Amino acid sequence: MTPTPPHPLKTAAWLLDHAQDADSQGNVRVLDCRYALSDPLVGRIAFLAGHVPGAVYADLETDLSGPVQPGGAGGRHPLPDLDVLAGWLGRVGIGNDSVVVCYDDPSTGQGFYAARAWWLLRWLGHTQVFVLDGGWPAWQAAGGAVSTDDATHAPTTFTPRVQPGMVAGAQDVQTRAPGTVLIDSRAPARYRGEVEPIDRKAGHIPGAVNRDWSGVLDGAGHWRSPEVLGVHLNAGNAPTITYCGSGVSATPNLLARELAGVPLGPDNRLYAGSWSDWISDPTRPVGVGAED
């Protein structure tokens, strides 16, 4: 049985106190997850310009996703192959005893990549994984050191303990039990089908309600209180399946749901392929307009 996960956030003050463990032979490992869908090189360039000492760069496309399949099944950012992901984690020095802190840069308006890394590690059964509250700006504001060195940690072995109850597929969405809340995490205009800048078809999965992922953060990029997050999600204790365009920006809503009291699992699942997987089958219905 997987242990009960701890609180999923760490503060910049905590990371400052444990910086030596991250930049030496300690068991803290830091993943820099900065990225931009509009320019895949932005995050890596930012990492090279300066990062938390000891951090390893985690690329959304090459490290935190699998290859896109012909026809689009699995979505634009498919889940990585388990052995490939576990092998990468081991090579960068993350083992089953590591404490992993993931960060991105919420000031860019795309502060959801760290939550993707957090979710993936939790899917692998790793409970000692956290998101840095406030991300890179919080680290800088706290006076954290900035490094341009490439961190090298001793390779280790990461053994997955996969949690299948955290994942939903298209069939699970179609046959979801009455009372299950289907959450669309994209911007309202995309949900309503008024615009679609990325995928080849606009709209949403019929029956879904819209909870824009950006509502989980305040103006400074910090996570809102559990009470505010509960209001944002407006799902109570009902089981939820959450999706977005490709299974990335949905993950902040999954983390928010855990903060609000419903941990990842059968009652708090990610539709991993999300909208881009849904529309890969032309027989699946599409909704437009608002449903809530």
Side-chain angles (χ1 to χ4, degrees):
M1 177 180 292
T2 301
T4 301
H7 190 280
L9 301 179
K10 290 294 188 187
T11 64
W14 183 93
L15 190 54
L16 277 170
D17 287 343
H18 294 80
Q20 183 65 31
D21 292 332
D23 198 24
S24 66
Q25 300 305 310
N27 72 330
V28 176
R29 295 289 178 264
V30 180
L31 291 179
D32 184 318
C33 305
R34 287 177 288 179
Y35 193 80
L37 291 172
S38 58
D39 185 346
L41 291 179
V42 163
R44 191 175 292 276
I45 291 170
F47 175 80
L48 293 172
H51 52 263
V52 173
V56 171
Y57 186 66
D59 188 289
L60 173 68
E61 301 285 347
T62 61
D63 302 320
L64 305 181
S65 303
V68 175
Q69 301 302 306
R76 284 183 283 104
H77 295 104
L79 294 182
D81 176 85
L82 289 171
D83 292 335
V84 172
L85 179 56
W88 175 76
L89 290 168
R91 286 194 301 276
V92 300
I94 295 175
N96 295 91
D97 62 344
S98 299
V99 177
V100 184
V101 180
C102 311
Y103 74 88
D104 52 31
D105 187 351
S107 70
T108 65
Q110 294 186 316
F112 43 76
Y113 303 108
R116 165 77 170 201
W118 168 84
W119 185 92
L120 285 171
L121 278 157
R122 287 285 301 278
W123 174 54
L124 297 186
H126 193 71
T127 57
Q128 293 298 312
V129 57
F130 308 89
V131 169
L132 180 64
D133 189 21
W136 176 244
W139 175 256
Q140 293 180 298
V146 176
S147 173
T148 57
D149 295 335
D150 246 343
T152 54
H153 301 293
T156 186
T157 298
F158 185 95
T159 303
R161 301 180 180 89
V162 179
Q163 306 297 302
M166 287 173 44
V167 183
Q171 184 64 25
D172 298 308
V173 172
Q174 290 174 307
T175 61
R176 62 191 182 277
T180 299
V181 180
L182 181 61
I183 296 177
D184 185 313
S185 304
R186 298 172 300 165
R190 288 185 70 193
Y191 163 79
R192 293 191 298 265
E194 296 166 1
V195 299
E196 183 44 67
I198 302 174
D199 293 307
R200 57 185 175 80
K201 189 179 292 186
H204 61 263
I205 301 174
V209 297
N210 186 218
R211 307 285 184 263
D212 185 344
W213 75 270
S214 64
V216 306
L217 303 178
D218 65 18
H222 291 276
W223 291 75
R224 299 185 187 274
S225 70
E227 295 75 20
V228 171
L229 293 174
V231 172
H232 160 70
L233 294 164
N234 194 26
N237 292 319
T240 55
I241 298 174
T242 303
Y243 75 95
C244 55
S246 63
V248 181
S249 64
T251 54
N253 273 341
L254 292 152
L255 193 155
R257 190 126 212 269
E258 181 155 294
L259 287 171
V262 182
L264 297 179
D267 290 336
N268 183 13
R269 291 188 285 172
L270 172 68
Y271 173 20
S274 287
W275 178 247
S276 51
D277 172 72
W278 183 263
I279 61 173
S280 69
D281 182 343
T283 68
R284 293 179 187 139
V286 169
V288 294
E291 297 198 32
D292 64 328

